[in-house]
Amino acid sequence: MRQVILKGNHISKRFLQGENGNTVLEDVSVDIYEGDFTIIMGSSGAGKSTLLYALSGMDKVSEGTVVYKGQEISSLKERQMAKLRADEFGFVFQQTHLVSNLTLFENIAVAGYMGGHQTEKKVRERTGLLLKQMHIEAAKDRYPSEVSGGEAQRAAIARAVVNEPGIVFADEPTGALNKSNTEDVLDLLTALNQNGQSILLVTHDIHAACRGTKIVYLEDGRILAEKNLLPYEKKDERDRETEINRWLDSLKW
């Protein structure tokens, strides 16, 4: 039986703007299952990234609770939350946020050392393995400014999974990449998921959404609909895109 790894219970998020408040999320409840590739979609301003930040503890919720592996994390103090993120969560963003004066190897390894539950030898071994898996071993001693955008994003994915996190949060990770690099990054994320990695990805791109096993659609800060999909297979991609397009059209996306 599939287990819920991350759960949002009636979460709302409001931002103060002078004397008025701006509600970005309103009474959202969502279950993220272990091993799923969950996609968050919606129009601009629907609250996609805000939901990801709320579920990952990067942003505090105004109301409701967030539960990870049975533990309520929405009430944790910042130091406790920082440790949980370092140990259990991986993050990939549109911009890689790699440290400019560290090599790709060092950028990945540093995240492993910060996790604190692997020996230095294990971190170095895992970093080397991930560089091979991400097809950037030849660039391991280069700095972020010396590699392509695709190579940098692959390094960012390796950094995100070096601690073998329970879940990877990805916010528009292909938004700044060309078509070829986008395909490479999506293939890497798909391979990670098919090896058991839980992934929560925000995107506006139907092609990226095809890789998911579940799509959560937001409108005006609320969940409008959800759609479950079979595991991704390359040969079914065109039919899958058509299916998702029809579903999104029915939601007036």
Side-chain angles (χ1 to χ4, degrees), residues 15 18 24 52 99 117 139 153 179 184 188 198 206-207 227:
F15 296 95
V24 183
L52 182 142
V99 180
H117 62 267
Q153 192 61 289
K179 183 176 180 180
D184 288 344
L188 289 171
S198 305
I206 293 173
H207 185 64
K227 181 176 181 60

Side-chain angles (χ1 to χ4, degrees), residues 121-139:
K121 180 181 178 183
K122 175 72 182 297
V123 169
R124 295 185 69 83
E125 288 176 350
R126 180 154 174 77
T127 299
L129 176 63
L130 287 168
L131 285 162
K132 289 181 182 178
Q133 290 177 344
M134 303 295 161
H135 311 297
I136 50 173
E137 187 181 20

